[in-house]
Every structure is written in structure tokens, then in C-alpha cells.
Amino acid sequence: MRNPSSGAPLPSPPSPAARTGRPRSAAADAAILAATRDALVELGWSKLTMGDVSARAGVAKTTLYRRWSGKNELVVDAVAELFDSLELPDRGSLEADIEYVVLRFAELLRRPEARTALMAVVAESTRDQALRDRIRSAIVDRQKRLVVLGRERAQARGELPYEEDESLAAHTTDLIFDVIAGTVVHRALVSSEPVDELWVASFTALLMHGLRGAAGGAAPGPARA
């Protein structure tokens, strides 16, 4: 368009990106989440404030509130970032894949910031439905990617059958995730027992072969006449 009085072109309107301000900084986000985990280990859930985090991260509190509405969301995302570091390289078999990811998960749970943050948000979520929903979307649902990837590889190798029914496949994914994550978290954080290679091998055998296989082979069937 042109200026009706001078005939000169009118300046273009600002783009949507220009109107929204500066883009988020990945480095600033990482610093904030790391500061959140450090503060949680040092102060605990009840004493942790957004002000503590902003001071540790070297950012203004307004910067925090532009990204997170409050402490609950911030701490969940700080935990989620740790779990997002879990990877599942192809170890050549389903059994080896399970053993690898369980050992890495246990190593992560041994870190004070992971242990403290996870226990804090789980405890707090018992009184807060919105927090439970955020834990599910930011942590649980995202980490199911490892189960999906492991099953796809096992199916491609012929170790597991394909499931044509998508709802049944989703149910199986949920079940596998709940069994693995629930067992490891209970072992490491509730029972405070070691998750070492021997335990992981036994646990994987139980997953792969059921109670009979984990106990050393199938029990003999009834005698035939």
C-alpha cells in the first residue's frame, strides 16, 4: 500500500514474531530448571520459592512467570528435563534393551536432584489434581516413548508380535511402562534397595518369561497316561 498524500510505500506491518517479543532462550530455560533442582535439594518443597530460583538462575522473577505460572509447573518441568535425557540405543535384543534402560533409569534416580524433585512432586500431587495432570503429560506420557521404541524394535526383530488393534497396543504400552517405572521407583526410592546388574537381570527375566521362567524354568506339567 502507498501513502495517499505522498505516494510513497507504507511500511509493512510487524510480523507476528516481531509482535510477540524476544524468543525464549534455551540456555536461560536450562539454567532456570537446573537452579530449581538445586534449590529443591537444598531447601525442600515447602521452602522453595520462585524468588529462590530466580536468584540462583540470575534472572528476574518476571522471566520465570512468563514461562511458568507457579512453582508446581516449574518443578515438574525440572524433573521432566532429567527424564528426557534417558535414551534407548539398540542393544540387539529386547532383553538387552530392557536391562540397559532400567540401569540408566536407576542411575538417574540415584542423583539427589532427581530423587528429591520426583518425591516432592509426587507427594504434592496427592492434594493437587492439576499437578497430577501435569506430571502425567510432562513426564509419564513423554517417557512412554521408550516403551514404544523398544516394542517397535522387538517387533521388527520378530521377538514380539504386532498388534493390529491400536487401543490394545496403547493398553500394552501403558502396562509395560507402569510395571517397569513403578517397580524401579519403588525399589530405588521407597525400599532404598540397590538396582544393580544382578537385580536388573532377574527383573528382566521376570518381564520376559513370567514367574515360571524367572524361577528357573517352566514347572513340569501333569503326567500323561
Side-chain angles (χ1 to χ4, degrees), residues 54-70:
S54 66
R56 289 168 185 263
V59 300
K61 276 201 290 186
T62 53
T63 300
L64 285 186
Y65 283 108
R66 279 199 299 268
R67 291 161 162 78
W68 295 277
S69 63

Side-chain angles (χ1 to χ4, degrees), residues 14-55:
S15 66
R19 287 195 295 265
T20 57
R22 294 181 180 178
R24 286 178 63 156
S25 164
D29 283 0
I32 291 167
L33 296 177
T36 302
R37 293 188 293 267
D38 290 344
L40 196 59
V41 171
E42 226 176 277
L43 303 172
W45 176 276
S46 62
K47 294 182 179 179
L48 176 69
T49 67
M50 298 292 269
D52 294 320
V53 174
S54 66

